[in-house]
Amino acid sequence: MKYMVIFAGMNGNNCLLHISSFLTSLLLCVLTNAQPGWKVDWNADLYMNGGTGDYLPFWQRTGYDGIMPYTSAAILSAGADFRYESVNGIRMDAGANLVGQAITAGPWNSRGVKGFVDRLYISGSWKMLHLDIGMKPRIREFGDLSVTGGNIMFTGNARNMPGINAWSDWIYFEKGHWFGVRGNFAHYQTLDNRYVRGTMIHNKSLAFKVALGRKVDFEAGLDHWVQWGGTSPETGVRPSSFRDYIRVILAQRGGAGATLSDQLNALGNHLGREYIRITWRASAFTMNFQYDMPFDDGGQIIKNEPIPDGVYTLKFSFNDRTSFVTDVLYEYIHTTWQSGPVHDRPATEEEMTKDYGKYVYWQDPDHHYYGRFVQGGLDNYFNNGEYRSGWTYFGRAMGLPLMIPFAPDDKGVTMGLICNRVRAHHFGIKGLAGPVPYSFRATFSSNWGRYSDKDDSFFASRPKQLSLALEVELGEQVTNIPLTFAIGAYGDFGKVYRNSAGLSLRVLYGGSFRRP
C-alpha cells in the first residue's frame, strides 16, 4: 500500500516498516470478515481570509490543523471520509483531504500557490480499541473554544504528521463504570524542513478515571513525547536503531554513539504533560475542570512558585443545546516559572561529599556536572539544544499556540520558539442566536519571552496582547440553498502582533451517503 512509503528509511534496519506492514495486513484481514454497512461524508470548502496588517490576527490563523497561512489568502479544501461498520463492533475508517492555497507575501512566507495533503489515513476499530495509520487529526476534547483543545502538547495548531497510533477509548472493568483506563502508543515521522531533518516522534499515554459517585468523575493522566533520530547538520545521523528505539520508549540514556547530552540525560528530546480533570454532571449542565501541566526532561519543579505552570480550564456545557448560550469556557495559562531561572550552581563542600544515591550521577568525579548542584531550572519549554526546531512543525507550535515560534530563516527552517513564557486569560462562549450558531473568543496575554533573553530584548517589557474572534454560521435553514456560510471577524490589539483586523468567509458544501 502507498502508506508504506511514509515509513521507509526511518532507521537502518527498517523495523518500523515491518511493524507498519504487519499492522496494515492484520487490519485488512480483520476487516475482510466484517459485515457490510457503510457511509461516505464528503466536503468542499472555500476560505477567503483578509486582514489589515502584515499578517492575519491571531485567531484568524490559529488552529485549523495548520492549514491557515499567516497572511491573506484564498484556500480550497476538498476531501471525503469513509466508514464501514459491522454488527460485531468492527469498524473501518479511511479519509483524505487536500488543500490548495493562494497566499499573499508577508514576513513569514512568500507569495505563491501551494498545495499539500491535510489528512490521508486508514483506521480500524474493534469495540474500544483503535488503530490509525497515516495522517489523521486527533480529537480535541474541549473543542475550538479552548486555546489548547484540552491538551497543551498537541493542540491541532500545526499540520498533521504521518504515523501509526494505537489507542483506546475508556475501558471499564465492571458494569457500573466506577473505574476505567485508556491510553495510546504512537510513532510519527516529521516531513518538514527542520534543523534535524527526518526527526521521528514517539508518543505514549496512560490515564485512569474513578467515579466519585454517580455525578462526579476524577481523571488523571500522563502523556509522554520524544523527538529522536534524524540527521543533524552538527552531529550527523542520530542514533536510530531498534535498540535506540527501546531506549527512547523507556527514557534511558543514550549509548556510545549518542551525544554527551543524550548520554548524561536520556536519548532524544523528552517532554510531555500531566493532567487532572474533574467532571460534574448536574441536572442542567456538565462542568469540567482541568489542570494541564507541561514537563520537560525529567519533570517540572513547582516549589517556590505559588501558581504552578500549566493551563487551568473551567468549562460549562449546558444540556439544552438550542439555547442562546450552550458552552462557556475560561482558561488561565501560566508558563513563566519553568522550574526557575537556574539550572545548576556551584556545589558546596557538603553537597560534593554527600551520598545522594545511585541515581544522582553528578557526584561521580568523572561526571560532566561534578562540582555543580543541579537545581533543574531553565526548562525552556518546547525548545531543545540539539533538536533546535523544537516542538514545531511546518513553522507552527504543535503545543500551546500562545508560544511564538521564530520566523523561518533563509532556508525555511524554524529554530524553535522565541517566546515560551506566557501568562494569559482566555474566555470563550458559544450558542445559538435563533437558528444561527455563533462563537466568541477573547485572549489577553502577557508575553515574557525566554529566560535567556537579554535585558534590552523585545520581551523585556513583557508586552501585552489582546486577541478577539467572533464567528457565525449561516446554514441551509437560513440561506435556503445547499451551502453553509461561516463568517468571522477578528482583531489584535497590542505590541506582540500589533493592531490589526481581519475578516473571513468560508463556504462549505458537502453531504453524505449511507448504505445499511
Side-chain angles (χ1 to χ4, degrees), residues 144-449:
D144 295 333
L145 276 187
S146 167
V147 174
T148 66
N151 187 330
I152 193 173
M153 293 299 304
F154 215 63
T155 62
N157 184 52
R159 281 165 54 174
N160 299 312
M161 291 182 292
I164 304 173
N165 183 25
W167 58 282
S168 72
D169 294 321
W170 287 109
I171 300 174
Y172 297 97
F173 296 93
E174 26 60 46
K175 294 182 179 179
H177 288 189
W178 295 104
F179 179 80
V181 298
R182 70 175 179 182
N184 87 297
F185 189 91
H187 176 91
Y188 294 100
Q189 175 70 54
T190 61
L191 301 179
D192 60 336
N193 187 15
R194 54 196 303 115
Y195 182 77
V196 178
R197 295 199 173 218
T199 298
M200 296 179 283
I201 296 179
H202 163 72
N203 169 236
K204 57 181 174 292
S205 67
L206 182 65
F208 69 88
K209 180 189 289 186
V210 178
L212 307 177
R214 296 188 178 275
K215 294 186 176 181
V216 179
D217 293 335
F218 174 82
E219 181 181 335
L222 175 69
D223 201 357
H224 179 219
W225 297 81
V226 190
Q227 293 176 308
W228 70 291
T231 302
S232 167
E234 182 177 347
T235 59
V237 178
R238 304 297 302 272
S240 58
S241 67
F242 184 74
R243 178 67 184 95
D244 294 314
Y245 185 41
I246 299 301
R247 289 189 175 102
V248 165
I249 294 172
L250 301 178
Q252 294 178 341
R253 292 185 295 168
T259 62
L260 176 62
S261 175
D262 283 358
Q263 292 181 45
L264 292 174
N265 299 290
L267 182 62
N269 176 29
H270 293 249
L271 64 167
R273 69 164 185 144
E274 302 165 272
Y275 78 94
I276 59 171
R277 183 186 301 172
I278 298 174
T279 301
W280 173 36
R281 295 175 295 276
S283 58
F285 60 85
T286 297
M287 184 274 287
N288 286 287
F289 169 78
Q290 177 172 290
Y291 169 48
D292 197 7
M293 182 187 78
F295 65 82
D296 192 296
D297 283 332
Q300 180 193 45
I301 300 173
I302 61 177
K303 62 184 180 181
N304 302 324
E305 178 68 0
I307 300 178
D309 283 349
V311 178
Y312 301 77
T313 301
L314 182 63
K315 181 182 181 183
F316 291 88
S317 296
F318 296 95
N319 296 341
D320 183 1
R321 306 308 293 172
T322 62
S323 62
F324 182 72
V325 176
T326 59
D327 300 272
V328 178
L329 177 141
Y330 168 75
E331 288 180 322
Y332 177 63
I333 296 104
H334 183 288
T335 66
T336 57
W337 176 235
Q338 302 194 17
S339 301
V342 179
H343 179 265
D344 59 87
R345 58 168 173 79
T348 65
E349 183 176 345
E350 179 183 359
E351 289 167 344
M352 291 179 65
T353 57
K354 184 178 179 180
D355 183 8
Y356 285 88
K358 64 180 180 179
Y359 297 106
V360 183
Y361 299 101
W362 40 263
Q363 287 301 320
D364 185 344
D366 295 328
H367 194 273
H368 179 72
Y369 278 112
Y370 182 68
R372 308 290 297 179
F373 185 89
V374 179
Q375 294 183 261
L378 294 177
D379 282 345
N380 201 12
Y381 295 152
F382 299 171
N383 281 326
N384 185 259
E386 298 189 9
Y387 289 87
R388 296 184 189 175
S389 291
W391 197 240
T392 68
Y393 190 53
F394 281 99
R396 303 292 183 100
M398 290 190 282
L400 179 67
L402 294 176
M403 294 183 174
I404 305 170
F406 281 95
D409 61 18
D410 55 0
K411 297 180 180 179
V413 176
T414 300
M415 298 294 282
L417 300 167
I418 193 173
C419 177
N420 57 17
R421 302 178 66 217
V422 180
R423 292 184 184 179
H425 299 271
H426 171 74
F427 175 77
I429 184 171
K430 69 178 181 179
L432 291 172
V436 178
Y438 76 92
S439 67
F440 174 77
R441 288 166 289 175
T443 309
F444 179 77
S445 63
S446 175
N447 300 271
W448 296 34

Side-chain angles (χ1 to χ4, degrees), residues 33-179:
N33 297 316
Q35 297 300 316
W38 53 270
K39 75 167 186 173
V40 177
D41 296 310
W42 56 272
N43 67 281
D45 304 339
L46 174 65
Y47 306 79
M48 301 293 293
N49 281 342
T52 61
D54 290 335
Y55 34 74
L56 298 173
F58 175 79
W59 279 117
Q60 193 170 1
R61 54 181 165 78
T62 297
Y64 303 100
D65 292 324
I67 72 171
M68 296 298 176
Y70 281 91
T71 55
S72 300
I75 301 106
L76 180 63
S77 170
D81 293 278
F82 170 85
R83 172 163 292 187
Y84 182 93
E85 293 185 276
S86 72
V87 295
N88 57 4
I90 296 175
R91 188 178 80 230
M92 171 183 173
D93 295 277
N97 192 62
L98 305 179
V99 175
Q101 302 170 323
I103 309 171
T104 61
W108 288 73
N109 51 258
S110 58
R111 181 195 307 268
V113 177
K114 304 176 182 179
F116 59 89
V117 178
D118 170 45
R119 65 180 189 272
L120 179 64
Y121 69 92
I122 181 171
S123 301
S125 303
W126 177 65
K127 297 185 178 180
M128 276 76 69
L129 304 179
H130 311 274
L131 177 65
D132 300 333
I133 302 175
M135 303 166 64
K136 183 179 182 182
R138 290 194 178 188
I139 297 171
R140 304 184 72 196
E141 294 185 321
F142 285 166
D144 295 333
L145 276 187
S146 167
V147 174
T148 66
N151 187 330
I152 193 173
M153 293 299 304
F154 215 63
T155 62
N157 184 52
R159 281 165 54 174
N160 299 312
M161 291 182 292
I164 304 173
N165 183 25
W167 58 282
S168 72
D169 294 321
W170 287 109
I171 300 174
Y172 297 97
F173 296 93
E174 26 60 46
K175 294 182 179 179
H177 288 189
W178 295 104
F179 179 80

